[in-house]
Amino acid sequence: MKTRITELLKIEHPIVCPGMTYVANSTLVAATSNAGGLGILAIGHLTPDETREEIRRVKSLTTKPFGIGCALMMPGAWDNLEIALQEQVPVINFSLGNGSEVCKRVHAYGGKVIATVVNAKHALGAEKAGVDALLVTGHEAAAHGGSVTSLVLVPAIRQITQLPIIAAGGFSSGSALVAALSLGADAVAMGTRWAATQESPVHDNTKQAIVAKDVFSTIYSANFDTLPCRVMDTPHARAVTKKRLSLGRALVRALKAARDNGKSLVSIVRMAFQQGLKDTLTLTFFGAAVGSIRRATIDGNLNNGVQLIGQAQGLVHDIPTVQALTDRIMEEARASCMSLARFAD
């Protein structure tokens, strides 16, 4: 299936594994790219040395295009991004920041840039910065999706830009891929579906929970890390999102998480001066959430951890390999297209 995204990124299928923190590691990314999609490596929780190691491991596992995902306002983001630029990663996916300099440097070596956006203002800003495509994230998505559902957000963004669009939020099957294309998208990102694959590093306890949960079993709340965030509905998640974490406790947890992830106190202080008080407070709560995410995702501890997950978890019923899942989705997409053809007249 050829779309503007497959042609732009030189991939076989219009399917993307987004850069999910702790989930999109080198193994999952390479498996996705080898299956014909685009894997995006999450590097925000890594040190620069770890970032280089993971990028080079992806290169050792696949000769296909892949990308990295980076939230520009996070502590250490530009240090990690510098490594990705040195390694000339084919696709750079950024969010939460001005990507003008990123576009300039990536385009200099022939790479492509994708901006993750949740509204029209961000989409137009990214287009002005010079990005090659947009990853449009709807309300159904895990973590920080927009306030508008994909069914409305994707065509709304399509109306204001001609850039290729990757739709994210609520997509998990071949029929969903076809639906996204009909809305004006050129590909889909399927984070929740890809988290429940054999190559995913998500703990088996959590994978089984994803399979067991239905579409209603998520919580959307700003109390987890100060921004509206979608997580798996569990007793612990309910307790965590019942009220906002105090600044003092958030600061202690954020500093511990930063230390565990190799971020120095000096870099955090420097970031505070660069970002200003408002963004620094936001990042403090983000940092406090990191440890909880790791406990659920990597340790499989849903009694003391919170799993970022989309509403599509209720459509996940098995844990296949990435290759088998990709083949299934594309076969479903072809069947869906043939089924819809009868309405053409």
Side-chain angles (χ1 to χ4, degrees), residues 288-301:
V290 167
S292 184
I293 296 169
R294 180 181 175 84
R295 285 192 293 274
T297 303
I298 302 302
D299 301 336
N301 184 356

Side-chain angles (χ1 to χ4, degrees), residues 20-306:
M20 302 168 282
T21 301
Y22 291 120
V23 179
N25 66 1
S26 54
T27 300
L28 184 59
V29 166
T32 304
S33 293
N34 282 331
L38 180 79
I40 298 179
L41 180 71
I43 64 172
H45 60 292
L46 304 177
T47 66
D49 286 343
E50 289 170 339
T51 294
R52 191 185 300 278
E53 182 180 349
E54 279 286 270
I55 289 172
R56 291 185 174 179
R57 186 163 188 272
V58 175
K59 290 180 177 179
S60 74
L61 295 173
T62 184
T63 58
K64 304 289 185 64
F66 71 98
I68 63 94
C70 183
L72 298 180
M73 70 180 289
M74 292 300 183
W78 284 93
D79 294 334
N80 283 349
L81 181 58
E82 182 62 37
I83 300 299
L85 296 174
Q86 292 173 11
E87 292 290 326
Q88 298 192 358
V89 173
V91 180
I92 303 295
N93 173 211
F94 76 86
S95 62
L96 299 176
N98 187 326
S100 299
E101 182 64 23
V102 178
C103 292
K104 186 185 305 182
R105 294 191 60 185
V106 174
H107 291 158
Y109 64 75
K112 305 299 180 183
V113 182
I114 301 170
T116 296
V117 301
V118 298
N119 57 44
K121 179 182 177 181
H122 294 163
L124 292 174
E127 183 174 38
K128 185 177 180 180
V131 304
D132 301 288
L134 301 172
L135 198 161
V136 177
T137 309
H139 186 62
E140 304 93 328
H144 307 104
S147 58
V148 178
T149 64
S150 297
L151 183 65
V152 177
L153 184 62
V154 172
I157 300 299
R158 170 51 66 226
Q159 289 178 4
I160 64 169
T161 179
Q162 291 303 307
L163 287 173
I165 288 175
I166 301 167
F171 303 101
S172 65
S173 65
S175 59
L177 167 57
V178 174
L181 297 178
S182 71
L183 292 173
D186 304 277
V188 289
M190 298 185 175
T192 294
R193 176 62 274 200
W194 249 244
T197 58
Q198 292 183 24
E199 291 88 345
S200 164
V202 173
H203 195 282
D204 189 59
N205 288 347
T206 304
K207 288 181 183 178
Q208 295 301 328
I210 294 172
V211 172
K213 296 284 185 177
D214 59 29
V215 296
F216 303 101
S217 299
T218 66
I219 299 170
Y220 189 71
S221 170
N223 288 342
F224 181 54
D225 60 11
T226 75
L227 290 181
C229 184
R230 189 174 299 283
V231 302
M232 182 183 289
D233 186 357
T234 65
H236 179 69
R238 292 181 195 179
V240 168
T241 57
K242 188 174 183 179
K243 61 180 181 179
R244 184 166 295 190
L245 187 67
S246 69
L247 178 59
R249 292 175 63 196
L251 182 60
V252 171
R253 292 184 186 181
L255 290 173
K256 182 181 185 303
R259 185 174 64 250
D260 291 344
N261 285 321
K263 313 295 185 186
S264 69
L265 182 59
V266 172
S267 70
I268 295 172
V269 172
R270 183 170 64 244
M271 176 275 297
F273 280 105
Q274 292 172 343
Q275 299 288 352
L277 178 61
K278 181 180 177 181
D279 285 347
T280 298
L281 291 175
T282 298
L283 294 180
T284 296
F285 284 91
F286 279 171
V290 167
S292 184
I293 296 169
R294 180 181 175 84
R295 285 192 293 274
T297 303
I298 302 302
D299 301 336
N301 184 356
L302 293 172
N303 294 321
N304 194 31
V306 175

